[in-house]
Amino acid sequence: MVMKKHNLVLLGFILLKFILQYSLIDQSYELHRDEYLYIDQGNHLAWGYLSVPPLTSWTSVIIILLGKSVFWVKFFPALYGALTLVVVWKTVEFLKGNLFALVLASVCVLFSAILRINTLYQPNSFDILSWVFIYYTLIRYLEAYQKKWIIIAGISFGIAFLNKYNIAFLALGMFPAILLTSHRRIFLKKEFYVAASLALAIISPNLYWQNTNDFPVIHHLHELADTQLVNVDRFDFLKSQLVFFMGSLFVIFSGLFAILRFPSFKTYRLFFLSFIFTIAIFLLLRAKDYYAIGIYPIYIAFGAVYLQHIIHAKWRKILQPTLIAIPLLFSIPMFNIAFPNRSPQYIEDNNELYRNVGLLRWEDGIDHAIPQDFADMLGWKELARKVDSITSKLENKEQTLILCDNYGEAGAINFYSQSNLKAVSFNADYINWFDLKKKYINLIRIKELDESEDELEETLPYFESGFLVDSISNRYAREYRTNIYLFKNATVDIGKRIKKEIDESRF
């Protein structure tokens, strides 16, 4: 009867999770620029891509088969978030947590930065789920050294690696933690090497793909380090960790303390060391702050169970509801500004709160009308509609190349367009998706405003005619005033010129 009650409560949290994920995005917004790229990868299956492994593309195939609607695009990150909640719930149950501990842990996970991440179709949602599940399998294994749990951990690690390379940091943090505790005997057990072999077998197709493509992940990491990670402030990284789980900090710190001092958790002391080592590695490498989010849910589980035990019986009726309410109260500011749940016009008219916390400051260092992440969710339908309008009037439209400046433009056109033409770019994975067998006569060029001044002068010599047709008019969009050019009747072999540019663009 108790188990049935618990399952009903869990089901309630899962339903609430899905409701929140779908209700926290205002209808004014479209998909995020990154989402268009990941969906398009489903049309170009491979064992790897320039910046990510292949698993996301497999999910994209399912989304495409289901009709490629926004509902299904948003369903999968919400599903991964719900499963993260389920794994934390099962961890609390395994640690002998009662209903209070289960509810407290669920509230802490639900009302955290994970809620924001689960609004976007990116590898991050499955990455967080992977961290939590692998930690869970290790907890189960350490309890009684049952072979199946380390095997499941190895398989899970391999699948997680095919989703996002970030999971390697879990192994890097856990390895020295195991060595420094009595659990080092794991390395003498046959099942550990069976698990490692299974993980290697799962990731080997991606490693082979990396090798045959000159390891683009290394190029990507170097580029990331030179252009973005070099600007990461380590103090800001630590501040972000506090913000991500602001309302749950008392539970996380309770979990870390309990792992060290609570007798029931003696078996899991290596998780304290793992936490220290993993955070230290992230800091050393100047990692982006959200890379570490997957660490915390498992410590919430430990903390919730520990708090269950230390609250005196006579204070439970007061303290337990109070502790559950804290994450809810801290989430209120997050709901007000962290989600695209207000129209761009509303944000512009009520921008003081957004401005005070720096959300209006874009990469260019200038304050804009709305946050950059929200601006990345606007203007895409307009772009696709205007490109379709141009292609519908062309006589030789099947011989038209649509060349964009960035992956967001190309992905959005391919997502929304009603024509059979596919947009490409020299940016991101699109550089590998040019159809060089075609003979191109016309060119539709999508050019960002800050690079548009010389487009006619630069491209017109290769065509009989060319002119500016239109531009993006949504002033809230990051693509605002992006220009759309049409060049007709090429006087040179466009395919050869494209191939030359591709060769020069490759690393």
Side-chain angles (χ1 to χ4, degrees), residues 172-456:
L172 291 173
M174 187 59 71
F175 183 79
I178 294 173
L179 279 178
L180 293 173
T181 64
S182 61
H183 292 298
R184 69 178 68 91
R185 64 182 181 274
I186 290 173
F187 297 126
L188 300 177
K189 293 184 175 293
K190 179 181 178 181
E191 60 261 28
F192 171 80
Y193 295 97
V194 172
S197 298
L198 288 171
L200 182 60
I202 292 169
I203 69 177
S204 59
N206 178 252
L207 296 179
Y208 177 78
W209 182 91
Q210 289 284 343
N211 181 60
T212 56
N213 288 274
D214 298 321
F215 288 95
V217 65
I218 295 177
H219 167 76
H220 176 70
L221 290 174
H222 281 308
E223 185 178 52
L224 198 64
D226 293 341
T227 60
Q228 297 184 38
L229 302 186
V230 71
N231 299 317
V232 171
D233 184 280
R234 293 187 174 98
F235 184 66
D236 286 342
F237 175 93
L238 291 174
K239 284 195 301 183
S240 295
Q241 306 311 300
L242 300 178
V243 173
F244 289 149
F245 293 88
M246 181 67 74
S248 311
L249 290 177
F250 72 98
V251 184
I252 293 172
F253 286 128
S254 295
L256 289 167
F257 176 80
I259 290 169
L260 282 180
R261 306 297 297 175
F262 191 44
S264 298
F265 294 162
K266 182 179 179 180
T267 303
Y268 313 114
R269 298 249 164 103
L270 66 86
F271 275 86
F272 182 88
L273 292 174
S274 173
F275 178 87
I276 300 300
F277 284 127
T278 308
I279 292 294
I281 293 169
F282 278 132
L283 284 170
L284 178 66
L285 298 179
R286 295 180 180 271
K288 292 183 179 182
D289 50 16
Y290 66 87
Y291 287 3
I293 288 178
I295 297 174
Y296 301 100
I298 210 70
Y299 297 93
I300 288 175
F302 280 113
V305 175
Y306 177 64
L307 289 170
Q308 160 197 323
H309 285 283
I310 66 172
I311 297 175
H312 195 279
K314 70 177 182 179
W315 295 107
R316 285 173 187 165
K317 288 186 177 180
I318 298 174
L319 285 181
Q320 287 184 350
T322 301
L323 294 180
I324 291 171
I326 290 174
L328 290 169
L329 293 173
F330 271 91
S331 69
I332 293 174
M334 177 178 69
F335 282 113
N336 288 334
I337 62 173
F339 296 91
N341 54 355
R342 306 285 190 181
S343 70
Q345 185 67 59
Y346 175 91
I347 296 173
E348 184 178 36
D349 294 341
N350 303 270
N351 63 17
E352 186 175 348
L353 182 59
Y354 295 86
R355 190 183 306 279
N356 289 342
V357 295
L359 286 176
L360 300 183
R361 184 67 55 87
W362 288 14
E363 291 175 353
D364 58 11
I366 300 172
D367 279 0
H368 293 257
I370 66 174
Q372 180 173 306
D373 245 11
F374 301 176
D376 275 334
M377 301 168 70
L378 295 167
W380 306 115
K381 288 182 180 178
E382 179 188 353
L383 172 62
R385 186 178 67 251
K386 289 180 174 179
V387 169
D388 273 0
S389 176
I390 295 170
T391 57
S392 66
K393 299 170 185 175
L394 289 175
E395 292 181 4
N396 302 303
K397 64 179 179 182
E398 296 302 324
Q399 293 177 287
T400 300
L401 174 68
I402 305 174
L403 181 61
C404 304
D405 264 358
N406 63 63
Y407 63 82
E409 296 161 354
I413 291 170
N414 294 341
F415 186 85
Y416 292 113
S417 177
Q418 300 300 310
S419 77
N420 294 323
L421 298 178
K422 296 299 180 183
V424 286
S425 173
F426 293 115
N427 181 231
D429 294 294
Y430 287 94
I431 196 171
N432 294 321
W433 299 342
F434 282 83
D435 184 355
L436 298 178
K437 296 178 181 178
K438 267 191 178 182
K439 178 176 176 58
Y440 295 107
I441 296 175
N442 307 313
L443 170 68
I444 296 175
R445 184 73 172 95
I446 316 299
K447 194 77 169 177
E448 295 173 21
L449 178 65
D450 59 353
E451 299 177 4
S452 296
E453 291 80 1
D454 300 322
E455 183 59 33
L456 286 174

Side-chain angles (χ1 to χ4, degrees), residues 25-53:
I25 304 177
D26 187 83
Q27 292 184 350
S28 306
Y29 299 96
E30 301 154 23
L31 298 181
H32 189 278
R33 69 168 63 230
D34 292 354
E35 294 177 295
Y36 296 114
L37 169 63
Y38 295 129
I39 293 167
D40 225 355
Q41 287 177 349
N43 295 312
H44 303 273
L45 291 179
W47 275 106
Y49 301 91
L50 294 184
S51 59
V52 294

Side-chain angles (χ1 to χ4, degrees), residues 162-180:
L162 292 182
N163 171 71
K164 191 173 173 71
Y165 300 124
N166 187 53
I167 199 66
F169 289 104
L170 183 153
L172 291 173
M174 187 59 71
F175 183 79
I178 294 173
L179 279 178
L180 293 173

Side-chain angles (χ1 to χ4, degrees), residues 431-490:
I431 196 171
N432 294 321
W433 299 342
F434 282 83
D435 184 355
L436 298 178
K437 296 178 181 178
K438 267 191 178 182
K439 178 176 176 58
Y440 295 107
I441 296 175
N442 307 313
L443 170 68
I444 296 175
R445 184 73 172 95
I446 316 299
K447 194 77 169 177
E448 295 173 21
L449 178 65
D450 59 353
E451 299 177 4
S452 296
E453 291 80 1
D454 300 322
E455 183 59 33
L456 286 174
E457 180 181 338
E458 180 180 325
T459 307
L460 187 54
Y462 307 108
F463 294 85
E464 291 182 4
S465 64
F467 47 92
L468 174 63
V469 181
D470 213 330
S471 64
I472 303 303
S473 61
N474 188 330
R475 64 187 181 89
Y476 296 112
R478 193 173 173 191
E479 295 288 329
Y480 175 50
R481 298 176 70 188
T482 287
N483 288 326
I484 306 172
Y485 293 88
L486 173 61
F487 298 92
K488 300 173 69 175
N489 301 320

